[in-house]
Every structure is written in structure tokens, then in C-alpha cells.
Amino acid sequence: MTVPQRLGPSSANTRSAILDLVRSGGSVTRTELAERSGLTPTSITRVVKSLIEDGLVIETGFLESTGGKRSSVLELNTRARFAVGVSLDAGRLTYVVTDLAGTVIGRLVSPGIDQVGPSEDVARIARELGQLLVQLDVPVESVVGVGVAGAGLDLGAGAERLSITSTEWESFALTQALEPRIGLPVVRDNDAACAALGQYWAGRVPATQDFATLYLSNGFGLGLMTGGSVARGASSNVGEIGHMIVDIDGPDCWCGARGCLEMLAAPRAIVAQAFELKGLADELGLSGDPHRFRSDFELIARAGARGEPRCYGLMDHSARYVAAATLSIVNVLDLDRIVLAGPGFADAGAVYVRRIREQVTRHARTRGIHPVAIELADPGLDAAAGGAATLALQHALTPHAVGGGVRG
Ligand SMILES: [Zn+2]
């Protein structure tokens, strides 16, 4: 990364870019920072001094002398500040607290939203978040912000569109409701984009790679990273892969189209298919309650992963659709890597990885030019929450790199 030349050495963006170079470099010297940023040594010295005074960067030692003055080694002071990430999901709420490097230092899982309505849920989120910080002995003053990951977002209208079953959330302004309760800035984005950002920040994916995170909770989402930033599109709604049409004569979708991936391969569809197989619902103890389709789905996915033939067949059928959609994405965008994340892949993710690998290896147009890695995120279940914490860190510390997301 190069610091944009139009920026003066004292601008906030320059400071943010230098901090990002220290973060991504692991340990660096002032000379290396000058080389990588294109700034003069004098400017670097000034910026680093202010980062050290703020406690964000520390000097951890010296390089062996090569004759002149010894160079000190700079590193991110990872425990100087913290961030919180929350993943809003119908199945469960996941909270993580991370340090500056994005390392998770504590987590909490509680029942999902969907039942009581947004106002009560926001009050609960504020309470649980406060409890987690106390438990971890993290002072609120050291938290830079809270990132919230949700299903889809209508960022332009400032409201959260969470799922088709909870219409109350569709017009609910989450940020405005949550910020005053917790006294911290809140930034939010869709869960697939958060998961992608988290993988990138934590260094699991090289910054040079163009990759996508395929996220599965109630439905499918795709987070796309290109050149180190999250791709945004016109309204920050890149990645609606759940509405990719995979069968033009398929079932009607709630979006208005027909044959969408979501209608054929998402958890709700798999649960419906399980009920069509004689005796299976009773054997597995499925509830059939529309509000509990996610726990029904988990029972099917777990049985499939254990090798129960009918459940394996249902998961594999879903995986074949997902593999076809993913192959199209790989072909359209020429990606290096697809990372599968989210609670939907927690139990039977391996079935999806196998089918996607098979399709991409055999049919990707670029298969003779470069490989495409297909892998499960680590940790898949916390990927969105961890990425949401990353989003909060990025907004607070390296705003020059923020391609979108929304505040206020
Ligand atoms: Zn659709």
C-alpha cells in the first residue's frame, strides 16, 4: 500500500495509513515505513511519535546495528484498544470482543432475535454487551466501537432489513437505537461482507487476493474483497447470491423472481424437503414450527454430516445448487478463493466444500491458469461477529481504508 501523494504527512488519512502499515507488517522500522509509504523519514518520525503517544504503537526492541544508529522495531500495541462485534441472526446472537489485531479475547452466544421485536432485542443487546465487557475486565473507554452484522441492509434508508420473517426489523433504525444505550459508536454491515473483512484483517487471506466469502444463515450472502476493500455496489448490497436464478422454471421466490438459489437450497427449503420424506421428520424430531426452522435445519445438517442417507441426500442436493451458483461467481469475477462461513455451514460445511471444489476444479474457465481455493472459514460460526468487530476497528483506526459501511 502507498500513502496517496495528495495527502499531506499530517492528515488523518496519512496517520491511518501508517497505522495500517504497522498492523499489516507485524513489526516494522521507521525506515521500512518510509519506503512502503513514500513519505519522508521526517514525516514518518512525526506520525509514529503521535501513534506512540496515543498508545497505539509500541517500540519492542532494536535491529542489529549496521554501523549507524540502531533502528527501533515498531509494533501495534494490540491490547491498547478493543472492539466489539455482534452478529444479529435469527438462530443466535453472537458477540465477540477483539483486540486491535482482531484476535478474539472473549465471546458470548445468546438466543437469536425474531421473537420479541427490535426494541426489546436492542435493550437485551445493550445489557449482554455490557455484561461481557465486565466479565472480560475491558473498560468501556478502551472500546473503539461496536460493529453489527446483519442479514441484508438497506443502507440508504438507514434501516435494517433482517429477514423475511421479521418485518418489524425491516424499518428499524438499529444504529440510532443502540448507540445511546451503550455510549459507543455503532457501525453495521451485512454479515457476508463482515465475514470477508474479518478474514482479511486477521491475515488469513493474503491482501493481494481477490476472494469472496459465501455466508449462510437464513439465506445466502456473498462478501467480496477486491484489492483489500469490500466491494460495495450502488447501495452496499453486493452479494445477493441467494437470488441468483438457478432454475428458470423453479418455484416462485418472495423477491418476485422464480427459481432463486434461496428457494431451492437454503435451510427453509431443506426443512420443507425433509417433511416430504416419509417418516424423516418424526425420526429426527423436527418441530415443523416456522419460527424454529433453523433448529430443524441443524438437526438435518447434523444427521447428514453423520451419514444418515436421506439427510445426506438433502444436503448434497442443496450443495449441488450452491456449487453451480458459486462456479458462476468464480467465472464472472475470476476469484482466487472462496471461503464458506456462517452458522449454516457449521454442521455440514464439508458437503458443500466437496461439491463446490468438484465444480470449480472441473469447470472454472481459469482452471488452467490459476487454482481456486475453496475452504471453510476458521472460525465459521464467529466469522460475522469477528468481522463486525474488524469493521468497528477499521472505522475507528484506519478510516482511509473503509470503502463503505454506515454510521449514524
Ligand atoms: Zn429471489
Side-chain angles (χ1 to χ4, degrees):
M1 178 183 54
T2 307
V3 175
Q5 287 307 305
R6 59 191 165 75
L7 300 172
S10 59
S11 88
N13 276 356
T14 301
R15 190 183 133 93
S16 140
I18 298 304
L19 184 62
D20 208 24
L21 282 178
V22 176
R23 179 193 68 79
S24 58
S27 53
V28 288
T29 63
R30 288 175 180 77
T31 312
E32 286 165 340
L33 286 176
E35 283 163 7
R36 291 177 201 175
S37 67
L39 291 174
T40 64
T42 317
S43 301
I44 289 294
T45 301
R46 194 184 318 140
V47 174
V48 167
K49 182 165 179 280
S50 91
L51 290 171
I52 290 175
E53 281 168 0
D54 287 348
L56 292 170
V57 168
I58 43 176
E59 293 182 302
T60 55
F62 293 93
L63 285 186
E64 287 297 311
S65 173
T66 50
K69 191 173 166 238
R70 292 196 305 167
S71 308
S72 57
V73 176
L74 305 166
E75 284 181 19
L76 195 66
N77 185 11
T78 53
R79 294 296 161 104
R81 305 276 199 285
F82 300 89
V84 178
V86 186
S87 165
L88 289 182
D89 181 32
R92 60 180 68 77
L93 281 180
T94 308
Y95 303 77
V96 300
V97 178
T98 72
D99 65 15
L100 282 188
T103 304
V104 174
I105 61 159
R107 70 192 286 273
L108 173 75
V109 175
S110 73
I113 56 173
D114 222 15
Q115 309 289 335
V116 294
S119 301
E120 287 83 351
D121 279 328
V122 165
R124 173 162 71 97
I125 290 168
R127 198 171 57 244
E128 290 175 341
L129 200 150
Q131 285 164 356
L132 180 59
L133 292 177
V134 168
Q135 206 179 74
L136 295 170
D137 210 10
V138 168
V140 176
E141 310 79 69
S142 67
V143 176
V144 298
V146 177
V148 179
L153 289 176
D154 181 357
L155 297 182
E160 181 98 10
R161 178 172 60 74
L162 194 72
S163 82
I164 53 170
T165 54
S166 59
T167 49
E168 280 179 273
W169 277 93
E170 286 194 16
S171 56
F172 187 75
L174 172 78
T175 310
Q176 287 88 329
L178 189 57
E179 275 189 344
R181 280 186 178 272
I182 57 177
L184 288 167
V186 173
V187 52
R188 60 204 172 78
D189 209 329
N190 79 63
D191 39 26
C194 284
L197 186 62
Q199 297 288 312
Y200 165 73
W201 184 280
R204 294 191 186 94
V205 176
T208 50
Q209 280 199 330
D210 282 0
F211 77 100
T213 297
L214 179 63
Y215 195 87
L216 179 57
S217 53
N218 278 7
F220 297 96
L222 191 86
L224 181 63
M225 292 287 291
T226 56
S229 330
V230 176
R232 293 289 168 190
S235 66
S236 280
N237 280 296
V238 163
E240 286 282 1
I241 191 178
H243 299 280
M244 179 185 277
I245 293 170
V246 287
D247 179 359
I248 56 167
D249 296 317
D252 289 337
C253 179
W254 57 271
C255 77
R258 63 189 307 178
C260 295
L261 179 65
E262 178 162 323
M263 300 310 289
L264 292 156
R268 202 185 298 273
I270 294 171
V271 171
Q273 290 155 15
F275 271 91
E276 285 166 19
L277 297 177
K278 200 168 177 302
L280 184 61
D282 285 343
E283 278 172 46
L284 295 177
L286 304 186
S287 74
D289 177 349
H291 287 293
R292 294 174 58 199
F293 76 93
R294 285 283 297 281
S295 49
D296 284 350
F297 167 73
E298 282 172 19
L299 291 172
I300 300 164
R302 256 176 243 147
R306 280 198 309 269
E308 198 291 322
R310 289 164 297 171
C311 294
Y312 182 88
L314 291 172
M315 301 310 297
D316 190 52
H317 186 66
S318 161
R320 287 173 58 207
Y321 279 114
V322 173
T326 307
L327 173 65
S328 297
I329 293 289
V330 167
N331 278 340
V332 168
L333 298 171
D334 187 14
L335 299 173
D336 273 327
R337 183 180 297 257
I338 302 282
V339 181
L340 275 57
F345 292 123
D347 296 305
V351 180
Y352 289 87
V353 167
R354 192 177 313 133
R355 281 296 184 188
I356 298 172
R357 268 190 197 146
E358 184 183 278
Q359 275 287 349
V360 169
T361 310
R362 284 187 194 159
H363 304 300
R365 290 288 294 122
T366 54
R367 61 188 182 277
I369 303 170
H370 64 80
V372 182
I374 311 290
E375 59 200 27
L376 284 170
D378 171 32
L381 212 54
D382 288 348
T390 299
L391 187 71
L393 285 173
Q394 215 185 34
H395 270 258
L397 300 176
T398 60
H400 76 284
V402 177
V406 77
R407 277 270 302 111

